[in-house]
Amino acid sequence: MTLDLSSDALLSTTRAVRHRLDLTRPVPRQLLEECVDLAVQAPSGRNRQRWHFVIVTDPERRAALADVWRAGVSTPGVSDPVPQRDVRRAQVADMERVFSGASHLYEHLHEVPALVVPCVEGRTDDAPVLRQAGTWGSILPAVWSFMLAARARGLGTCWTTGNLVHEKHAAHLLGIPHDTVMQAALIPVAYTLGTDFRPARRIPRERVLHWDAW
């Protein structure tokens, strides 16, 4: 069963969910598979379809992966203070919610029913921008489609990257061939506590839209 959302509502209310993840309700495998089925309908560079999704639901392996993620976000320099130019773009209350949500996720990540690690074949370590763009552009649309599909099914997601600090460790834990496959993120997935998400406050269009030149 999916939520009764228009396409515009789906696009504008798919939030990064941290506090409102239901940690007590299992997510059926079928729903996660449906989300992957929709994710792989996304476009990819030269239609190479190099995406992979590692979905972790085993409690012990979830706990181990959460520990790798926590070690990553706790690494000095990873969570540096937000630059003032970015702080000015957001409301103070919004930033406080972000930090509070991050803290909540830090404490409870191992309890989230499913952890999804999207991957892409081909590494971009020290690659030129053109190759980086082609590789990331072949996995990010698929992951966003996964997150939209999850929202439509009453599930919450959040893009996180703490596992990438210790990517080799995470790869070993999950059996990912690190030399040829790159992890893109770690996405916690759970039913949401309520489904009444609203569009977020964003900076005005006039500050980001450029016609013909910058």
Side-chain angles (χ1 to χ4, degrees), residues 127-195:
V129 172
L130 178 63
R131 184 176 160 203
Q132 291 183 45
T135 300
W136 288 106
S138 294
I139 184 63
L140 294 180
V143 181
W144 181 232
S145 290
F146 178 94
M147 297 169 83
L148 290 169
R151 162 66 173 146
R153 286 159 177 76
L155 303 173
T157 60
C158 178
W159 184 285
T160 72
T161 54
N163 55 312
L164 304 184
V165 180
H166 301 295
E167 189 192 2
K168 285 186 178 181
H169 190 169
H172 178 74
L173 174 66
L174 301 178
I176 298 170
H178 177 267
D179 290 344
T180 58
V181 174
M182 184 168 61
Q183 298 166 55
L186 186 154
I187 313 291
V189 184
Y191 279 103
T192 57
L193 300 171
T195 59

Side-chain angles (χ1 to χ4, degrees), residues 81-90 95 203 207:
V82 179
Q84 283 302 307
R85 67 179 181 276
D86 294 332
V87 172
R88 288 193 295 269
R89 289 174 175 171
M95 294 304 299
I203 59 177
R207 292 177 58 184

Side-chain angles (χ1 to χ4, degrees), residues 61-71 109-110 115 173 186:
R61 191 157 293 190
R62 269 192 352 242
L65 182 58
D67 284 342
V68 173
W69 182 90
R70 290 189 187 99
L109 184 62
H110 62 288
L115 302 178
L173 174 66
L186 186 154

Side-chain angles (χ1 to χ4, degrees), residues 8 32 41 43 46 55 69 79 85 103 127 141 153 177 186:
D8 284 1
L32 296 168
Q41 289 298 316
R46 301 181 188 175
I55 300 180
W69 182 90
S79 299
R85 67 179 181 276
S103 178
R153 286 159 177 76
L186 186 154

